[in-house]
Amino acid sequence: MAERSYLSIGQVVNLLRGTYPDLSNSKIRFLEDEGLITPHRTPKGYRQYSMDDVERLEVILHLQKTRYMPLNVIKQRLEGADDLHMLAYEVGLLSDVPMKAQPKETKQKLHPLEDIPDLLGVSISFVRSLAQNDLVRIVKSPKNRELIDGNDFEIIRFCDELSRFHIEPRNLRQYVVSANRESTMFEQVLVGMLGMDDSDEDRSAKLERAFKKLHDLTDGLHTALLKNRVFESLNAVVKDADVDSIDDELARAEAARSAHKAEVAQREAASQANARQASDQKPTGSKAASAPAVKRRANR
């Protein structure tokens, strides 16, 4: 495998630090010393990590973080697993049972438009509507046959599911605009992370893994922002009555603080007055006590 098709230890840390903030180069080296991961080594001895290594590392970190498992138990769990993806699902790292990847020939193959209803269970008119809204592309063959790229199958399935919520293709153009805008940012990050070398057969898998990490983070942010906007619009988060009650509560708190300050100031003033009174009385007593001593000196 070409060197640049692997990730360096620093790239692995950057890739996973969003989920595991305490991850460091030294921690990864320690896990290697314990026999849990075995990265590839260059002729000069530099560590290089495949995406399988990264996935294995993430399972280890997840089990440490959520199950508090000792390393020897984690090692046994890894050695006893037939499928790393299934193990990731079983321990809660993945939310869905991992699906087998579509064969390369299916994903990249062009399919006649008239075959799509049998392949995906959607109508030809629905696919045309998706194409009109730039969600998928209909390719014309030299003999003017209409073809659909297998890479668009996933988009067609998602749009079909959304249509059951009465969300039509024309309502989804905003996601096309968003994808076009975000793709530039993703491309820059992925190129910087994996380099430009495309000689490795596993490059697509590495890109898929790195893309998924970036997407999970940006999608989480998008979901949180979208949820806040929707709930605010529906007055389900902060209502006018809530704002009024907050004002009342803050006003009561401020009044209580003012009363407390006044009480403290009053106690301090009383304390100071008592101290002055005690100070004024002390010299008087001293003079009275010293009078007989003066008279005795005079008699002498």
Side-chain angles (χ1 to χ4, degrees), residues 26-188:
S26 60
K27 183 169 185 177
I28 295 178
R29 293 192 192 99
F30 173 75
L31 293 174
E32 180 185 349
D33 293 339
E34 294 296 313
L36 280 92
I37 55 175
T38 309
H40 173 76
R41 292 274 188 164
T42 68
K44 294 183 178 181
Y46 293 107
R47 294 174 176 84
Q48 293 183 319
Y49 298 83
S50 68
M51 294 314 294
D52 286 340
D53 293 329
V54 174
E55 184 171 1
R56 184 181 178 92
L57 175 60
E58 190 168 11
V59 170
I60 295 168
L61 297 173
H62 178 77
L63 288 174
Q64 284 186 308
K65 180 178 179 180
T66 63
R67 305 294 179 88
Y68 309 104
M69 285 187 181
L71 292 180
N72 63 324
V73 177
I74 295 175
K75 187 176 181 180
Q76 292 173 5
R77 192 76 181 269
L78 288 167
E79 291 174 349
D82 295 327
D83 187 304
L84 189 59
H85 293 279
M86 185 57 68
L87 176 60
Y89 167 71
E90 290 172 354
V91 302
L93 184 57
L94 299 177
S95 59
D96 266 330
V97 177
M99 296 176 60
K100 292 188 178 296
Q102 286 182 291
K104 186 175 181 180
E105 58 271 17
T106 301
K107 291 180 67 176
Q108 297 184 349
K109 185 178 179 180
L110 294 173
H111 303 267
L113 180 59
E114 58 265 25
D115 290 348
I116 298 303
D118 291 333
L119 290 170
L120 302 179
V122 300
S123 66
I124 292 177
S125 61
F126 181 73
V127 178
R128 290 192 187 281
S129 179
L130 295 178
Q132 290 169 1
N133 288 281
D134 297 326
L135 290 153
V136 300
R137 188 164 63 96
I138 296 178
V139 181
K140 290 292 186 71
S141 72
K143 293 185 178 181
N144 211 34
R145 291 190 177 93
E146 295 180 310
L147 307 170
I148 297 294
D149 191 333
N151 287 304
D152 287 341
F153 281 10
E154 188 175 20
I155 296 173
I156 295 172
R157 289 192 181 99
F158 279 128
C159 293
D160 181 43
E161 289 292 327
L162 287 168
S163 70
R164 301 180 186 184
F165 291 88
H166 307 290
I167 299 176
E168 303 301 327
R170 58 186 173 83
N171 305 127
L172 300 173
R173 283 191 58 83
Q174 57 184 311
Y175 295 100
V176 177
V177 175
S178 176
N180 291 340
R181 183 171 57 248
E182 288 185 59
S183 63
T184 302
M185 177 182 70
F186 273 50
E187 288 166 10
Q188 291 173 349

Side-chain angles (χ1 to χ4, degrees), residues 248-264:
D248 293 341
E249 184 177 345
L250 290 174
R252 286 194 296 271
E254 289 174 357
R257 283 196 298 270
S258 298
H260 177 68
K261 287 181 180 179
E263 184 180 352
V264 170

